[in-house]
Amino acid sequence: MGESKSEGKHIIPGAEKLLCVMEILVKGEAGLSQLMRETETSTTTCYRILQTLSSHGWIYRTPHGKYAVSAGFALLASRYASSSWERFRPGLASLSERTGLTVKLSIREGLEHVMVLRQESPHPFGVSLKAGVRFPVVEGSVGTALLSQATDGEIERIWERCETLLAPEETLLTFKRRVREVRAHGYCIRNNIGGRGTTAMSVPVLGTDGHVIAALTILGSRKEFAEGKTLGTMLLEAAENLQSLL
C-alpha cells in the first residue's frame, strides 16, 4: 500500500480521538454512545475526552444528555476564521483579474473541505460558487491539493471513510494520480466537474512550517483553460504571494 512502517509513531492516539470528537460535535449534538461508536473508543476513554473538553469550556452537556459545542468555542473559531483568511482577499481579487476566472480558497475541516474565501469572475458570465457548501476532503482538485503531502496510507484511510459520499466516477487510483500530479507540477487540473463542463485547477498553500494549510483554486470553462501551463504558473505565483502574508 506504500505506507511506511514508521507511520503513526508521531501521532498521539488520545489527541487524535479528542479531535475526532470535536469534528463530530461541530456538526451537531451527539450522545456518549454515538461518540464511542464513531470514534471507536471505550466508554472510559470517551468519557474522559468529554470531561476534558467540558473543563475547558469547549463543549457542554445538553438537557437531553447529549453533548454540544459551546457558544464560546464557536465564537472563537468564527472570529479566528474570518480574521485569519481575510488578509488573503486582495490576492484572490488580483488573481481573478489576471486570469478572468473565478477564484476560491478552501481549507480542510476533518473529512471535508470547505471554501473560506471566493472571488467571482470579472466577466459577465462565469462560474458562480455557493457559500458554505462542504465536500468530502478526497473530492476534486481541492482535495488533491489539501492532501498532497499525505502518505499513501493516510489517503487510503481517509478515502475509506469518505467513499460512500463520492460520485461513482471518483476512484482511489485517479485521486492518487492527481496527488502525484501536484507533487510533480505544483498543481492539478480536473475537467468536466459534475458533467457541467467546468474545469478547476488547484495548488496547495503552505504555512510557515511548510505544511499545507489551504488550497487555492481557479475555475472556468474548459476553453478558458486552453493555456493550462500559463494559468498554472500564475496560480503558483499567487499561492506564493499568499504564503508571504503569513
Side-chain angles (χ1 to χ4, degrees):
M1 283 185 161
E3 181 177 356
S4 170
K5 292 182 179 180
S6 62
E7 183 182 323
K9 284 187 176 180
H10 303 297
I11 294 176
I12 303 174
E16 187 176 32
K17 295 296 184 183
L18 184 146
L19 292 174
C20 287
V21 168
M22 286 301 295
E23 288 172 4
I24 295 168
L25 293 180
V26 294
K27 298 177 183 178
E29 296 180 4
L32 178 62
S33 59
Q34 178 186 344
L35 293 168
M36 287 169 52
R37 181 175 65 256
E38 294 191 20
T39 60
E40 298 180 351
T41 55
S42 66
T43 304
T44 301
T45 299
C46 194
Y47 181 75
R48 286 176 177 172
I49 288 173
L50 293 170
Q51 288 298 103
T52 300
L53 292 171
S54 297
S55 68
H56 285 272
W58 285 14
I59 66 171
Y60 68 98
R61 193 168 188 183
T62 71
H64 305 294
K66 294 187 175 182
Y67 294 88
V69 174
S70 71
F73 178 81
L75 182 60
L76 175 64
S78 176
R79 286 177 176 173
Y80 174 76
S82 61
S83 63
S84 62
W85 300 115
E86 274 299 321
R87 75 185 84 171
F88 295 145
R89 187 172 293 280
L92 269 66
S94 175
L95 180 60
S96 181
E97 283 294 329
R98 292 176 63 200
T99 61
L101 301 173
T102 298
V103 182
K104 69 174 180 177
L105 188 72
S106 307
I107 62 171
R108 178 184 176 184
E109 289 188 352
L111 295 176
E112 299 174 318
H113 63 72
V114 59
M115 178 178 62
V116 291
L117 284 179
R118 66 177 175 177
Q119 182 67 41
E120 302 293 348
S121 165
H123 299 319
F125 300 98
V127 176
S128 183
L129 303 172
K130 187 176 180 180
V133 177
R134 294 171 176 271
F135 297 95
V137 72
V138 289
E139 183 169 297
S141 62
V142 172
T144 308
L146 290 173
L147 294 177
S148 57
Q149 293 181 339
T151 65
D152 282 353
E154 290 170 326
I155 291 173
E156 288 160 8
R157 285 196 297 272
I158 295 170
W159 184 275
E160 185 177 352
R161 296 177 68 183
C162 297
E163 190 170 10
T164 57
L165 304 175
L166 299 171
E169 64 268 19
E170 293 281 353
T171 68
L172 180 58
L173 288 178
T174 56
F175 186 81
K176 285 185 175 181
R177 176 180 55 77
R178 290 200 294 265
V179 168
R180 292 194 295 271
E181 189 178 336
V182 174
R183 292 170 181 170
H185 307 292
Y187 60 85
C188 75
I189 301 177
R190 187 177 175 214
N191 295 308
N192 198 32
I193 300 172
R196 299 185 299 273
T198 300
T199 294
M201 177 187 288
S202 298
V203 300
V205 177
L206 307 183
T208 55
D209 61 357
H211 291 107
V212 177
I213 60 169
L216 182 63
T217 304
I218 50 177
L219 302 101
S221 68
R222 187 163 188 171
K223 183 178 179 180
E224 291 175 299
F225 277 80
E227 298 294 330
K229 289 186 178 180
T230 300
L231 288 174
T233 299
M234 296 170 70
L235 188 56
L236 288 167
E237 290 175 351
E240 289 181 4
N241 290 335
L242 297 187
Q243 290 162 193
S244 69
L245 299 175
L246 296 171

